Amino acid sequence: MSARRRSSARSSADHGSSGVRRAGTCFSCHAAADKSAGPAYLEVARRYATNAAAREVLAKKIRAGGLGAWGKVPMPPNPQYTLDQTRQMVDWILGLATRQVLVQPAG
């Protein structure tokens, strides 16, 4: 692996990792690049890439839960996370649209 790719992989894993690592339950329904019960994080990043309000909208949605934006499977609420923690998660998710290497943060 080239030094550039290693650096990119490391930054992908480190970005917002404190929030994402604590969100282990999120990875039960979401993956970085593949759809599972929920949309792939990369798909979310692409959908919201041009939405200036995406960070706040998604951070609040993680806490409150949601239904209908991606199909019939509901996303349960996650009130155990602070708004700052969910913002870190969203920063990591939205950043996937611009990073070359997709790496799931270590749990």
Side-chain angles (χ1 to χ4, degrees):
M1 179 185 282
S2 72
R4 181 175 180 211
R5 286 183 61 88
R6 277 193 305 273
S7 173
S8 182
R10 197 170 27 257
S11 67
S12 292
D14 293 343
H15 183 73
S17 62
S18 62
V20 176
R21 282 186 191 158
R22 285 190 294 265
T25 58
C26 298
F27 288 103
S28 298
C29 294
H30 298 279
D34 300 314
K35 181 177 178 6
S36 56
Y41 288 133
L42 182 58
E43 209 177 331
V44 174
R46 288 178 178 156
R47 177 183 281 189
Y48 289 94
T50 60
N51 183 336
R55 184 177 193 239
E56 287 302 305
V57 167
L58 294 174
K60 289 176 182 176
K61 184 176 267 194
I62 291 169
R63 289 191 44 134
L67 175 63
W70 295 92
K72 295 180 181 182
V73 177
M75 181 175 74
N78 293 279
Q80 70 272 29
Y81 300 114
T82 67
L83 195 52
D84 285 339
Q85 288 171 321
T86 60
R87 286 180 185 130
Q88 288 178 354
M89 294 173 200
V90 170
D91 289 344
W92 181 83
I93 294 165
L94 294 177
L96 289 175
T98 59
R99 290 194 292 280
Q100 293 180 4
V101 178
L102 299 176
V103 176
Q104 181 172 318

